[in-house]
Amino acid sequence: MTYPHLLSPITLGAVTLPNRVMMGSMHTGLEETGDWNRVAEFYATRARGGVGLMVTGGMAPNREGGVFPGAAGLFTAQDIANHRIVTDRVHDAGGRIAMQILHAGRYAYGPECVSASAVKSPISPFPPKELDEEGIEKQIADIVTAAARAIEAGYDGVEVMGSEGYFLNQFLVTHVNRRTDRWGGSYENRMRLPVEVVRRVRAAIGDAILIYRISLIDLIPDGSTWDEVVTLAKAIEAAGASVLNTGIGWHEARVPTIATSVPRAAFAHLTGRLRPEVGIPVITSNRINTPDVAEGLLAGGQADMVSMARPFLADPDFVAKAAAGRAAQIAPCIACNQACLDHTFSGKLTSCLVNPRACHETELVITPTDAPRRIAVVGAGPAGLSAALTAAGRGHVVALFDRAARVGGQLHLAASIPGKEEFRGLIDWFEASISASTVELRLNTEATPEMLMGFDEVILATGITPRHAGIAGEDLPQVLGYRDVLRGAPVGKRVAVVGAGGIGFDVAEFLTHHGISPALDPALWRREWGVGDPAQVAGGLAPEGPQPEAPARQVWLLQRKPEKPGRKLGKTTGWIHRATLQMKRVKMLGGVAYEAITPEGLAVTLNGEPQVLPVDTVVICAGQDPDRSLAPALEAAGRAFHIIGGADVAAELDAKRAIDQGTRLAARL
Ligand SMILES: Cc1cc2nc3c(=O)[nH]c(=O)nc-3n(C[C@H](O)[C@H](O)[C@H](O)COP(=O)(O)O)c2cc1C
Ligand code: SF4
């Protein structure tokens, strides 16, 4: 496929971009490391990959507006000099970059946070201080100063963050803005702050690019109406913005907006609705992760540009590969959030499950080898595939063995879960990358110790074997392993899932679901999560609330630990899995002592009370053990080997760790 729309130039103010792809803003934590060479290399790598325009992660305009204490910003001459390292490197690489200014308002983590009114956010422990007239003036002045400094530091423009429920967004809605002065009350008054900010930023930055990120749908009660969004967009255009980028949902919204279970381009129709209302270009965003989807949106008139944020963590060369007819080799963002947003929210540096080099460009350096060796990799799951591809890319001679007929290992199980279909894209990418590489792929082949003897290095990536739960009656026919279930074994109507880790949750989602996956059907997904039309109801939440499909089965999700199931799920996605299972009326129970599986069901003791759960099927998700069955024979033959992935640590299936470990091992062989 070719991408004539995506790869056509567009002019924003004084700057002409070579294509219509923008890397959306992502706070990575890199700036806070103080290693500016590393920051510069992160962006320069993506500039070299051909992206039209990049936006930095949100920079604080002042201390009170930082998302967390110590959030980076342009406060001193040294800060400006540091950012200059980044912009110089990006420009040398032929790229363009704008700096996002993000004032967090009541989302700022700290007692100094400020907002329109003293209305605490449900996701922050800190009630904000209500700003007085002088305080508002100070906030505007600080944002304008940050913009002017960004230009001084060499940025091609700025993005003013006006969505996701941050400071400027907070002034727009009566829910947070209870003021009666000229900054509150009528919509004209409530939008005064963002419009004034844009007007003064424009005056401060000359003809540089000015992006305004506008919230198209707040997904909170009493959010903006569609008429208000359009009114604001027109006023922002008149105030001097070059382009409107779109934001979706406040952070406190209880609707997922970027998770993998959100359909691709689920909100692009709203950008399409805004586009004819304004004269400046509009950018669409969220869950767009392939050039085909992006091209389709532009060709269909939904937007003038496409923002992709996480896809540029997964593959810095997205645009270059699309342009070169190598789209199948673009490492896909599977929207898992495991190494990006989950890291951000745990105070760790952002990276990417698919691409461990993301934000580690200066540290995880993969160079050609000057001593090519023969390397055998056993197991074509994520660990083995990553090791094989990295080693072959460096010039080693690699053979990759797997007893299965396809590469992917446990990724196939993940891909079978409704809402995790993106994993198929990851398998496809591995397959395309292996066939474009020099790796000798030996599928349907059970590697034996004898076969491995002639190699210089042996890597065991043989994965896991599921563990038994140790419950009496586990050998009865109604007891199944999770692998059998996910591969399609018949299951009854009332099911106990034993073990409520990530796999237990996945299995419960699989078992309660029937019909098409909502992730593949935007209308179904919107109904399931209660997303309405912002033109009908302020904020865009359907008045009738979420309307999930009836569950296919009654499921009990059980764990021994006496805590609420799901504690260990991803920081930013755990709530989505819990909410999904609640909608499917799954009974999630902790503190369960398993007594026995009998023809009548599963006998347990719960809160000291013995009882029998009347289930016809029991699915065991009790963890897994490393499969190192080849190790003893190799050891006996005196053959050294490396162990990676689940074969190394099998506590929880962890593709992020597997890919990272495989890549890092092969980078140093
Ligand atoms: C790790 C991470 C950090 C982010 N930080 C910001 C930010 O600082 N400012 C912002 O406007 N959006 C931020 N976002 C949101 C992205 O710009 C984007 O809207 C979102 O990831 C959905 O787009 P995507 O599916 O293309 O990734 C962040 C997203 C991620 C994953
Ligand atoms: S960690 Fe997952 S969501 Fe984040 S960029 Fe990588 S693939 Fe995408």
Side-chain angles (χ1 to χ4, degrees), residues 37-299:
N37 177 46
R38 189 170 181 179
V39 187
E41 202 43 40
F42 171 75
Y43 288 110
T45 302
R46 280 139 187 95
R48 284 192 291 273
V51 62
L53 175 66
M54 295 180 284
V55 181
T56 68
M59 296 293 145
N62 52 29
R63 296 292 174 206
E64 61 269 34
V67 175
F68 54 90
L74 287 185
F75 305 123
T76 63
Q78 185 59 52
D79 290 338
I80 296 173
N82 292 338
H83 281 260
R84 176 58 83 174
I85 299 171
V86 177
T87 57
D88 280 350
R89 195 82 63 83
V90 167
H91 293 147
D92 287 350
R96 290 141 301 273
I97 185 165
M99 189 189 90
Q100 187 184 72
I101 304 168
L102 189 160
H103 189 311
R106 68 178 192 155
Y107 283 164
Y109 194 87
E112 296 308 311
C113 66
V114 295
S115 190
S117 304
V119 182
K120 196 178 87 61
S121 137
I123 56 169
S124 165
F126 301 103
K129 294 194 179 102
E130 177 171 321
L131 287 162
D132 58 14
E133 181 75 28
E134 205 181 312
I136 291 177
E137 274 302 322
K138 173 184 184 299
Q139 305 309 314
I140 299 174
D142 288 348
I143 294 171
V144 173
T145 302
R149 287 180 178 163
I151 302 307
E152 195 185 334
Y155 285 101
D156 300 284
V158 293
E159 177 169 79
V160 173
M161 180 47 166
S163 63
E164 262 82 354
Y166 287 117
F167 183 58
L168 300 180
N169 213 175
Q170 289 158 23
F171 270 71
L172 293 174
V173 301
T174 51
H175 172 64
V176 185
N177 185 344
R178 311 262 168 93
R179 305 177 73 94
T180 51
D181 60 2
R182 67 192 187 106
W183 305 100
S186 67
Y187 192 65
E188 202 188 344
N189 281 353
R190 280 181 275 136
M191 72 174 192
R192 189 181 306 280
L193 177 65
V195 174
E196 190 59 16
V197 162
V198 169
R199 198 180 61 75
R200 291 204 222 166
V201 166
R202 169 52 77 208
I205 66 170
D207 58 4
I209 299 171
L210 199 172
I211 310 164
Y212 184 82
R213 193 161 198 192
I214 188 170
S215 181
L216 288 191
I217 181 168
D218 293 339
L219 297 173
I220 54 159
D222 303 325
S224 293
T225 65
W226 184 252
D227 279 351
E228 288 171 348
V229 171
V230 172
T231 305
L232 176 66
K234 290 181 172 172
I236 294 286
E237 175 181 5
S242 330
V243 53
L244 287 169
N245 185 15
T246 58
I248 304 294
W250 285 37
H251 281 308
E252 65 204 62
R254 299 322 278 163
V255 176
T257 55
I258 73 169
T260 192
S261 53
V262 177
R264 288 176 174 178
F267 299 96
H269 63 287
L270 292 173
T271 323
R273 204 190 279 179
L274 182 66
R275 190 169 177 239
E277 304 281 357
V278 290
I280 50 177
V282 293
I283 305 172
T284 194
S285 168
N286 283 52
R287 283 292 284 117
I288 300 160
N289 63 347
T290 71
D292 295 42
V293 172
E295 175 69 15
L297 293 171
L298 297 184

Side-chain angles (χ1 to χ4, degrees), residues 310 313 333-340 351-354:
R310 295 168 298 170
L313 294 176
C333 165
I334 57 172
C336 64
N337 285 348
Q338 276 175 250
C340 54
S351 189
C352 175
L353 175 141
V354 172

